[in-house]
Amino acid sequence: MSFRTTADYVEDVSPGSGALPARAWYASSDAKALSLNGSWRFRLSATVDAEDDSFAEEGYDAGGWAEVTVPGHWVLQGDGAFGSPIYTNHLYPFPVDPPHVPTENPTGDHLRVFDLPADWPADGGAVLRFDGVESCARLWLNGTELGEFKGSRLAHEFAVGHLLKPGGNVLAVRVHQWSAGSYLEDQDQWWLPGIFRDVTLLHRPAGSVGDFFVHASYDHTTGEGTLRVDSDAEGRVTVPGLDIDVATGESVTVAVEPWTAETPKLYDGVLATEGERVPLRIGFRTVALEDGLIKVNGKAVLFKGVNRHEWHPEKGRALDLETMREDVLLMKRHNLNAVRTSHYPPHPAFLDLCDEYGLWVIDECDLETHGFTEQDWRDNPVDDDRWTPALLDRAERMVERDKNHPSVVFWSLGNEAGTGRGLTAMAEWIHGRDPERLVHYEGDWNCRDTDVYSRMYAFHDEVEKIGQQLDGGTRGRRALPFIQCEYGHAMGNGPGGLADYQELFEKYERLQGGFIWEWIDHGVKHAELGYAYGGDFGEELHDGNFVCDGLVFPDRTPSPGLIEYKKVIEPVHIEGDGANGIVRITNKQDFADLSALAFEWSCQVDGETVESGSLAVPALAPGESAEVKLPEPPVDGRGGERQWTVRALLADDTVWAPKDHVVAWGQFAAGARPLPSFPASDRPAAATDRITLGPAEFDPRTGALRSIGGVAVGAAPRLDVWRAPTDNDDGAEWQTDTRYGMLWRTLGLHRMRHRLVSVEAGDDALTVRTRVAPAAREVGLDTVYRWTSDGERLRLTVSVTPEGDWTVPLPRLGVRFGLPEADRVEWFGGGPGEAYPDTSTASMVGRWQSTVDGLQTPYVRPQENGARADVRWVELGGLRIEGDPEFWFTARRWTTEQLEAARHRTDLTAGDTVWVNLDHGQHGIGSQSCGPGPLPQYFLKAEPAEFSFVFSTTG
Ligand code: IPT
């Protein structure tokens, strides 16, 4: 005999029962709303029905229960008493046995007792709205069951007017961590159960607005907008700014300013029905696929985007409005113009912000079945008709909820769900319901259901081929524009190669830009570890720090990757011809002219600004360029290195940044850099216990430098080729032949031995010959250190000659030494932040200051970081070091080996030596943690090299 348990709904593939049809999400101006956010009673059990449902009954005493905050995830509350987060990328953390989920299924019973406010109207109805619950909930009000639902990041409403009482209403919600819905929610992120978005009781007056659809198009040929608001309840639509007053369902055409991400003009309006007034924020724009291009208001757009997961290091995906606003402000301030809401519809307030501040949005459905790839996509729910109602429910809930946002230009079917009939059904439904927007999905390279050919992590050469229309593909695909919905994997140090992608996007019309993966590191704030990542909660299956791959750190501090991206996607291009004193300015925007910007020139000698002024630049239209003459270069007696810097600043305060915020800049030389040189006039003097040369003293047996002037050198400079491999050096597991982090270790570059060949005190130089090589290998680097001096300064020339068959590039090539004391650092070169060969666009040449600690970039998993590029000279620890040629400078209070061994920042503790690396070369960074490695031009090949440093004391 078998019988069904009351918890069968958990494994039922259907979306649920009892909820009202999906509709637009809005805040009424006059209908009452009661937030049920706050502290709820909470009881956790290990299985779906360990406890019966009597807690839903009125009079149940939950006095002994714990409490949780709603919105919130229970695993992030209760100091571990309520379980822990689990991180997997695409692997299901339970057996793939659809639609079944484990018997061990953490189940959180939530209870909230509430009174209606005194002014709550007695008439009309009411709905209870849940904006997000992971992953499945069943609910009761005052003992009556309302239904159950799945679809974690979608709104669900229930009619409750008939059940409400003035006081003592008991709302009971049973939430299961795992359900059939979990199979559709296999996004690369933490699994975090709970009621993580708002819970609201909405009064629904008689004659209130139910659902409505704002259609606001723009005709760029006439400059007119056409507005029609379709509404379930008849009423009137007024837009005072446009003198519009029409009935719902009626069209009106008037002259308007269009909405674009660059010029987000919104008109305030009101939809008034018999029972309610709803504020409208209307943006007129027309999205179309035309001539094989994505056009808005008749113009092709270039997406400079990012993938945004919702994340807060303490609250998980329960974001407050200020955090959402911070994301939008940071994006605008870093020149981004687009967001893909990977991989689910965000909290609706985020879309309001995108409308208001101006960002193009790909709104993505809450759908990913990535884990089925482990079984060659067998039994994939998106190709199984039994699941189609759930897929359609998700598509519908997204479109209906978000359809009134002008910022949304694409609906995305989901992410990494393979291919199948269910996706086609979703696309057909969406196209039918909203023909005024385009449909995106990456997983089907034949583009059966989509309006754009979208890929992720395509390498530069393939992207170029696509740009040239040489990629072949189905007939349908060949007619479509191309975007990279994910590229530039921002894991750890990187991503490299962004500028090279941008060049392609700007060169080929078919390429309409891309979206960096991803916005924020999902590090979980942790008392001992700083920020936790996969595995730190003892998960049996996890994907480590693959969850920390954002352009901002978990606390939203911009990483160097974001600074680089900001520079790469500048809306204005500034390039100069320093010799002729001419600067060429190009407006790279799609819609706005340059009238919002003010330009400023400055002239630097040795990095110090000696003169500056404003530069008159015409208000160029999008795509236009102009050449502007710079003033006569200032007369200055000093013979230093001269350069121009031209900046584009906000001319006035905007809603997203104040006046003078730097939007774009360019730098160009006005003369060559004088290289440090002096005659080798001093002669090494050898004694039994020392060799002296100018200000320096050396060990006579080893030739090792001991001191310069009064400054003791704790560890003498010697060749160093090792860096603590970055996530991109290590590469992703599916990439085999170019994972240099691994190949370097196999070769032994992290354990190089130095064999002393000779120490020769000659007429004008001390020459130390060595061979540097790893155990067990025949390859090596013949390395000669040649020291010369003019009595005051000390010059080190390093000559490196590789021997043997070098099949890998070098991580770095330079010298490393240790100083007993150093704190403040000043340098003339690239800054203020770190840069590597293919991440150096944003490195601005100037005079910079920092502390040794301030030079470190706090990647959540420690790795190579903090190099400053193009350094002419640096001063620290009483030494001044000049480069011939310019060099990469790094200093830290731990060794590379300690940096490499650390798993979290908290593993790094300062020792008593400051380790300094002066590098002639660094290998590129690339994006191989999920994408291409460095392009060939950024390889640091093992080749003969020679480079010099000039040391003197600053004391
Ligand atoms: C791609 C996913 O779409 C995204 O969610 C994330 O996991 C990203 O990779 C890596 O961080 S899928 C990958 C197989 C290319």
Side-chain angles (χ1 to χ4, degrees):
M1 185 175 112
S2 79
F3 55 88
R4 288 164 68 87
T5 72
T6 54
D8 281 351
Y9 62 92
V10 174
E11 296 185 335
D12 189 335
V13 297
S14 88
S17 63
L20 292 166
R23 63 176 183 133
W25 196 99
Y26 60 87
S28 180
S29 339
D30 44 14
K32 298 265 178 254
L34 176 66
S35 168
L36 298 175
N37 293 348
S39 186
W40 288 49
R41 287 287 177 182
F42 178 74
R43 174 182 65 187
L44 183 64
S45 35
T47 62
V48 289
D49 52 6
E51 301 282 354
D52 64 24
D53 53 20
S54 58
F55 77 103
E57 280 160 25
E58 289 179 88
Y60 181 88
D61 181 8
W65 289 21
E67 288 182 28
V68 288
T69 300
V70 170
H73 306 277
W74 70 70
V75 291
L76 295 181
Q77 303 186 47
D79 285 328
F82 308 143
S84 310
I86 299 171
Y87 167 58
T88 58
N89 166 13
H90 76 275
L91 297 177
Y92 287 105
F94 46 79
V96 183
D97 179 21
H100 304 293
V101 293
T103 302
E104 289 167 83
N105 188 353
T107 291
D109 290 331
H110 295 69
L111 204 61
R112 165 88 197 231
V113 179
F114 64 93
D115 299 336
L116 294 178
D119 59 353
W120 193 268
D123 60 343
V127 303
L128 197 53
R129 184 176 68 202
F130 290 83
D131 287 320
V133 182
E134 182 169 330
S135 82
C136 169
R138 181 179 179 194
L139 62 155
W140 299 260
L141 183 65
N142 296 332
T144 300
E145 181 168 355
L146 300 174
E148 24 59 51
F149 63 92
K150 305 180 191 86
S152 297
R153 296 101 196 181
L154 294 159
H156 293 84
E157 290 182 317
F158 296 84
V160 294
H162 58 297
L163 298 172
L164 286 174
K165 310 185 291 188
N169 293 287
V170 179
L171 176 58
V173 187
R174 170 163 280 186
V175 181
H176 309 286
Q177 172 154 24
W178 310 119
S179 68
S182 305
Y183 283 97
L184 305 182
E185 296 173 5
D186 190 24
Q187 293 95 348
D188 175 11
Q189 59 179 348
W190 295 97
W191 298 88
L192 296 175
I195 305 176
F196 71 98
R197 287 187 192 153
D198 311 286
V199 182
T200 318
L201 180 70
L202 303 164
H203 180 240
R204 299 285 70 217
S208 60
V209 171
D211 188 22
F212 66 96
F213 199 161
V214 175
H215 301 273
S217 59
Y218 179 73
D219 181 343
H220 65 279
T221 63
T222 62
E224 289 175 326
T226 297
L227 175 69
R228 188 187 83 239
V229 179
D230 294 333
S231 169
D232 283 1
E234 280 180 19
R236 291 204 75 78
V237 177
T238 48
V239 187
L242 293 172
D243 284 333
I244 289 177
D245 183 349
V246 285
T248 51
E250 257 177 44
S251 291
V252 54
T253 299
V254 292
V256 298
E257 272 177 58
W259 189 97
T260 73
E262 293 168 11
T263 56
K265 173 69 187 170
L266 291 175
Y267 290 93
D268 286 320
V270 175
L271 164 60
T273 60
E274 192 195 328
E276 182 177 26
R277 291 164 56 82
V278 174
L280 305 176
R281 305 211 79 192
I282 303 163
F284 292 87
R285 64 168 194 32
T286 291
V287 184
L289 186 63
E290 249 172 50
D291 314 319
L293 297 173
I294 303 156
K295 292 193 182 175
V296 179
N297 304 336
K299 284 188 140 181
V301 293
L302 187 60
F303 296 111
K304 302 165 180 180
V306 71
N307 284 278
R308 174 181 179 270
H309 264 293
E310 294 180 313
W311 187 250
H312 184 282
E314 284 157 276
K315 297 180 194 149
R317 290 187 282 275
L319 297 198
D320 56 33
L321 184 61
E322 280 326 299
T323 306
M324 297 183 221
R325 191 186 306 274
E326 201 181 333
D327 280 348
V328 170
L329 291 177
L330 278 167
M331 288 177 191
K332 292 292 289 186
R333 289 175 189 159
H334 290 87
N335 294 333
L336 279 85
N337 72 1
V339 192
R340 172 175 177 232
T341 70
S342 55
H343 297 304
Y344 40 82
H347 189 290
F350 179 74
L351 298 177
D352 288 336
L353 296 167
C354 293
D355 294 343
E356 184 182 335
Y357 292 93
L359 288 167
W360 306 116
V361 175
I362 298 184
D363 194 356
E364 189 149 277
C365 197
D366 191 5
L367 173 64
E368 173 158 345
T369 63
H370 206 164
F372 285 87
T373 187
E374 292 293 311
Q375 51 193 59
D376 294 327
W377 297 101
R378 278 189 302 282
D379 299 323
N380 184 3
V382 309
D383 201 23
D384 178 337
D385 292 339
R386 286 171 297 181
W387 291 83
T388 304
L391 305 184
L392 288 172
D393 179 70
R394 284 167 189 252
E396 202 171 321
R397 287 190 183 280
M398 167 179 72
V399 172
E400 299 302 355
R401 194 195 76 166
D402 296 341
K403 60 187 179 285
N404 294 325
H405 291 283
S407 55
V408 176
V409 291
F410 266 102
W411 300 115
S412 176
L413 304 180
N415 184 58
E416 291 283 5
T419 53
R421 287 162 291 168
L423 292 166
T424 302
M426 290 170 82
E428 278 172 2
W429 183 87
I430 295 173
H431 274 131
R433 174 62 177 147
D434 184 14
E436 291 163 352
R437 287 185 177 93
L438 304 176
V439 169
H440 169 269
Y441 177 64
E442 188 272 347
D444 176 16
W445 293 6
N446 289 333
C447 302
R448 191 168 40 170
D449 305 315
T450 63
D451 300 312
V452 61
Y453 176 31
S454 172
R455 289 278 302 280
M456 46 175 76
Y457 311 104
F459 289 21
H460 297 77
D461 53 352
E462 189 186 5
V463 170
E464 175 144 45
K465 257 197 178 159
I466 296 170
Q468 295 166 328
Q469 309 270 8
L470 296 176
D471 59 308
T474 56
R475 194 177 292 276
R477 180 174 108 184
R478 294 205 299 271
L480 293 179
F482 176 81
I483 61 168
Q484 285 243 71
C485 68
E486 293 177 24
Y487 81 111
H489 198 248
M491 184 179 183
N493 186 336
L498 295 184
D500 310 275
Y501 273 119
Q502 195 62 26
E503 220 171 88
L504 296 172
F505 296 160
E506 290 175 13
K507 181 164 174 194
Y508 299 102
E509 199 182 34
R510 187 186 186 194
L511 309 181
Q512 294 200 262
F515 297 76
I516 298 290
W517 185 267
E518 67 176 303
W519 177 241
I520 185 168
D521 286 340
H522 312 211
V524 178
K525 186 120 178 117
H526 190 284
E528 286 102 61
L529 303 176
Y531 291 110
Y533 51 79
D536 289 336
F537 297 100
E539 301 106 293
E540 61 175 19
L541 207 61
H542 67 82
D543 287 291
N545 67 316
F546 206 63
V547 78
C548 291
D549 51 2
L551 291 176
V552 298
F553 294 113
D555 65 357
R556 293 188 153 69
T557 309
S559 79
L562 182 59
I563 310 298
E564 173 76 0
Y565 194 41
K566 174 186 178 181
K567 180 79 180 90
V568 164
I569 57 175
E570 285 175 340
V572 181
H573 188 57
I574 301 171
E575 61 193 330
D577 170 354
N580 293 308
I582 286 171
V583 58
R584 187 178 175 82
I585 313 266
T586 306
N587 179 0
K588 298 213 280 185
Q589 298 173 104
D590 296 321
F591 299 94
D593 67 19
L594 294 189
S595 54
L597 301 177
F599 287 79
E600 181 195 273
W601 64 268
S602 58
C603 184
Q604 287 81 32
V605 177
D606 285 340
E608 276 187 298
T609 297
V610 291
E611 242 181 274
S612 63
S614 62
L615 191 70
V617 174
L620 302 171
E624 278 184 3
S625 295
E627 285 193 351
V628 182
K629 185 97 187 89
L630 290 163
E632 280 306 306
V635 192
D636 181 288
R638 286 181 290 171
E641 179 181 355
R642 289 158 169 268
Q643 71 178 15
W644 295 99
T645 303
V646 173
R647 290 183 166 86
L649 319 166
L650 284 181
D652 290 298
D653 290 350
T654 66
V655 289
W656 50 269
K659 180 175 185 301
D660 293 337
H661 163 85
V662 178
V663 169
W665 55 273
Q667 264 185 338
F668 30 96
R673 169 184 174 224
L675 292 169
S677 74
F678 55 78
S681 52
D682 213 53
R683 205 188 151 92
T688 45
D689 60 344
R690 77 185 75 168
I691 297 173
T692 52
L693 174 63
E697 185 184 307
F698 298 83
D699 182 314
R701 284 176 305 112
T702 61
L705 177 71
R706 282 180 183 153
S707 64
I708 303 172
V711 181
V713 178
R718 59 179 202 167
L719 195 79
D720 190 12
V721 296
W722 187 238
R723 72 181 184 196
T726 64
D727 293 314
N728 286 315
D729 289 337
D730 285 336
E733 63 194 21
W734 63 85
Q735 297 178 326
T736 46
D737 52 345
T738 52
R739 298 178 63 190
Y740 288 117
M742 224 169 58
L743 298 175
W744 289 335
R745 281 193 191 94
T746 308
L747 189 60
L749 297 188
H750 59 309
R751 46 175 172 76
M752 298 292 267
R753 298 293 171 179
H754 298 244
R755 176 168 67 82
L756 181 65
V757 178
S758 63
V759 178
E760 303 154 22
D763 279 351
D764 59 353
L766 170 68
T767 305
V768 182
R769 296 180 193 280
T770 66
R771 185 174 189 277
V772 184
R777 310 286 171 206
E778 66 176 353
V779 294
L781 300 167
D782 226 15
T783 306
V784 180
Y785 307 85
R786 188 165 187 274
W787 299 92
T788 55
S789 175
D790 63 354
E792 267 175 43
R793 289 170 288 175
L794 180 71
R795 182 181 184 104
L796 165 63
T797 299
V798 184
S799 312
V800 182
T801 313
E803 285 182 351
D805 185 11
W806 281 86
T807 53
V808 295
L810 298 172
R812 65 164 9 117
L813 181 69
V815 294
R816 136 164 142 173
F817 62 98
L819 288 175
E821 267 169 60
D823 186 24
R824 294 222 54 90
V825 183
E826 184 171 354
W827 74 101
F828 171 31
E834 78 179 24
Y836 289 83
D838 52 351
T839 63
S840 62
T841 317
S843 173
M844 184 187 246
V845 173
R847 290 279 274 268
W848 306 105
Q849 291 186 359
S850 177
T851 57
V852 170
D853 291 336
L855 292 173
Q856 315 307 311
T857 307
Y859 294 114
V860 173
R861 184 189 74 81
Q863 53 196 276
E864 165 65 26
N865 73 85
R868 294 331 193 247
D870 304 314
V871 176
R872 279 78 166 149
W873 55 254
V874 60
E875 291 182 359
L876 86 164
L879 291 182
R880 177 183 173 92
I881 305 156
E882 290 172 80
D884 177 8
E886 295 82 64
F887 60 98
W888 306 87
F889 163 73
T890 312
R892 45 177 76 103
R893 296 188 185 280
W894 33 82
T895 61
T896 298
E897 292 68 25
Q898 288 165 328
L899 183 62
E900 185 182 353
R903 289 193 62 244
H904 294 89
R905 292 264 309 158
T906 45
D907 295 335
L908 291 169
T909 45
D912 50 15
T913 301
V914 170
W915 292 97
V916 180
N917 276 89
L918 310 175
D919 290 312
H920 178 59
Q922 276 274 358
H923 185 57
I925 294 294
S927 189
Q928 217 184 351
S929 54
C930 192
L935 289 169
Q937 61 267 37
Y938 306 116
F939 269 52
L940 178 59
K941 291 198 197 112
E943 293 177 332
E946 189 172 283
F947 46 95
S948 304
F949 304 103
V950 174
F951 297 84
S952 52
T953 51
T954 55

